[in-house]
Amino acid sequence: MFFTYLRRELRRRRKAALVVASGLALGIALVIVVSSVSSGMKQAQGKVLESLYGLGTDMTVTKAATPPKEGSGQTGRPRFKFDAKDSDDEDGEEQSSDRVMVQGFQTLSSSTVAEVGGQSGVADAVGGLSLQVMKVNGQFERGEFEQAPGGSTGKGQPPGGGGGDQQEGQVRGGGADFDVDSYSVYGTDVGKLDLGPLTSSRISKGRTFTGSESDAKVAVADASYAKEKKLSVGDTVTISGTKIKVVGIATPDSGDAAANLYLPLERAQTLADSKNKITTVYVKAADSQQIDAVKSAIQKNVSGTTVTTSADLADTVSGSLSTASDLASSVGKWLSIAVLVAAFLVAGLLTSSAVSRRVREFGTLKALGWRSGRVTRQVVGEAVVNGLVGGVLGIAVGLGGAYVVTAISPTLTAQLGSAGGQSGGGMGGGPGGATGGGPGAALSESASKALDISLTAPVSATTIALAVGLAVAGGLIAGAFGGWRASRLRPADALRRVE
């Protein structure tokens, strides 16, 4: 009887039921779209962090920034020295010099890796050394001395050598033409290739390192850098006089690469004259829900270090990605709540109004022996069905909206800059990316890099379950309004009214 009466009433009042369902559908659809876009924002930020940290990395440990000592302002600057050339036949000979510097000029002992790895909640830890190579090459050209009218012209010095009276004249031409090339190098522990920045790239050509190449003269080049320098597998690059063979090309999964060249850690330490030194410890937590506790344990037990989690690094992300994320999490969330509350209220009021128009009907049913509870259940049942219909419509519209966002896939820019002006390795101490900038670089106060991320709107099963729950809740709220109104009807009063 319940379902027969329910079906008949919903069919008879299709327009009213559709209005209630449509209001609920609008609110539910907006919730789905906002939730899916917010999820897409989180995935986009995750891609940004992976391009710096690497997959599986929950936090990094770097040396705590120390204030510079008085009179030490010049110690971090690279110096280049070139031999003087005296003979004329060596004039214009190309000269080259490079310097391998620790990025940020702050290092930790390699033993810090074991110390961090021994802390409670740490599943794994690996050290890395971030370097910056500056190479200067070019040539000097001697000028020609041109004597005043009446004298002779010589090359490199006035006539008469260094003795006698100086004759009037001037030097023309000459000078120097030097090119400065800067690129980043990351020393990775070949025994733990599943943790650290290299994991954010895949080997597209050649191979990666083997466990026996801890000090080998081999390298994996970033694909963009290899294209720029026309490097391929089997070619060699020279760093500080050491020839390094390229054994693989790595293509980043998203964004920019963490470094231009990846070297075995021990070889990188040798090139930088930093034996048993690292710049960063990459940490994987045993439980992602306990990251804050692990951070506190490391800060407490490993002195002289700064611990940076992915959440800390996410706070430094600016640009359109950050703006859109803020809008989705604040404006979008409150707008969804406002629309949903309005939809619930409208559904409740419409259901209550419908009950008022059915006073004679419910009065007659009570006169025929229906109890108030049965009438209330009938009204609530109708409202719940309306809510479920609205939920189905809302899910369909919400999925359509999420699909449109994913199909359009708008591009957002994430600007990553040094946080807080830390000089010891910046935010997380990671490698500096293609140009040596980014959160890990402290060579320049303005070091930063921008990543372009395509936004998607994935809809999870949790979001669908939430939509179904909202649909049922909306129906129950609307039914509560109508049921309360129906329960207060008295048969005698109802029968005296004419519809």
Side-chain angles (χ1 to χ4, degrees), residues 387-430:
L388 292 176
V389 172
V392 172
L393 293 175
I395 290 173
V397 174
L399 289 176
Y403 175 79
V404 170
V405 173
T406 302
I408 297 175
S409 191
T411 300
L412 301 178
T413 300
Q415 188 75 27
L416 296 168
S418 299
Q422 295 180 9
S423 61
M427 205 63 180

Side-chain angles (χ1 to χ4, degrees), residues 358-443:
R358 299 166 65 186
V359 169
R360 185 177 179 183
E361 174 188 341
F362 290 135
T364 303
L365 291 175
K366 283 191 172 185
L368 293 175
W370 280 39
R371 296 180 179 274
S372 296
R374 185 175 180 182
V375 173
T376 300
R377 286 194 298 273
Q378 193 69 43
V379 174
V380 172
E382 294 175 11
V384 170
V385 171
N386 288 336
L388 292 176
V389 172
V392 172
L393 293 175
I395 290 173
V397 174
L399 289 176
Y403 175 79
V404 170
V405 173
T406 302
I408 297 175
S409 191
T411 300
L412 301 178
T413 300
Q415 188 75 27
L416 296 168
S418 299
Q422 295 180 9
S423 61
M427 205 63 180
T435 60
L443 297 177

Side-chain angles (χ1 to χ4, degrees), residues 174-339:
D177 182 15
F178 282 84
D179 176 62
V180 179
D181 184 23
S182 176
Y183 58 93
S184 57
V185 174
Y186 175 70
T188 184
D189 189 340
V190 298
K192 293 184 177 181
L193 295 175
D194 57 344
L195 188 60
L198 185 55
T199 60
S200 63
S201 299
R202 57 180 176 81
I203 302 298
S204 53
K205 294 181 181 179
R207 62 176 178 83
T208 187
F209 303 112
T210 64
S212 61
E213 293 178 326
S214 58
D215 192 27
K217 299 177 183 179
V218 293
V220 172
D222 169 57
S224 297
Y225 183 74
K227 182 179 180 180
E228 177 188 350
K229 299 299 181 180
K230 298 181 180 179
L231 294 174
S232 58
V233 175
D235 291 345
T236 59
V237 293
T238 302
I239 303 177
S240 191
T242 302
K243 290 187 176 182
I244 308 293
K245 182 179 179 181
V246 177
V247 298
I249 304 295
T251 302
D253 293 328
S254 62
D256 291 337
N260 298 134
L261 293 175
Y262 301 90
L263 271 63
L265 179 57
E266 292 185 19
R267 174 52 53 182
Q269 291 171 335
T270 301
L271 292 174
D273 195 21
S274 300
K275 185 177 181 181
N276 296 325
K277 296 293 183 180
I278 57 174
T279 53
T280 313
V281 181
Y282 296 88
V283 182
K284 181 179 182 180
D287 184 356
S288 60
Q289 303 300 319
Q290 301 297 322
I291 290 179
D292 289 338
V294 176
K295 176 181 178 179
S296 299
I298 295 175
Q299 288 177 324
K300 179 181 178 180
N301 301 322
V302 185
S303 60
T305 60
T306 297
V307 183
T308 306
T309 66
S310 56
D312 297 329
L313 185 58
D315 292 337
T316 70
V317 177
S318 60
S320 59
L321 174 60
S322 177
T323 303
S325 180
D326 291 340
L327 288 174
S329 61
S330 56
V331 177
K333 180 179 69 177
W334 289 112
L335 179 62
S336 299
I337 293 175
V339 172

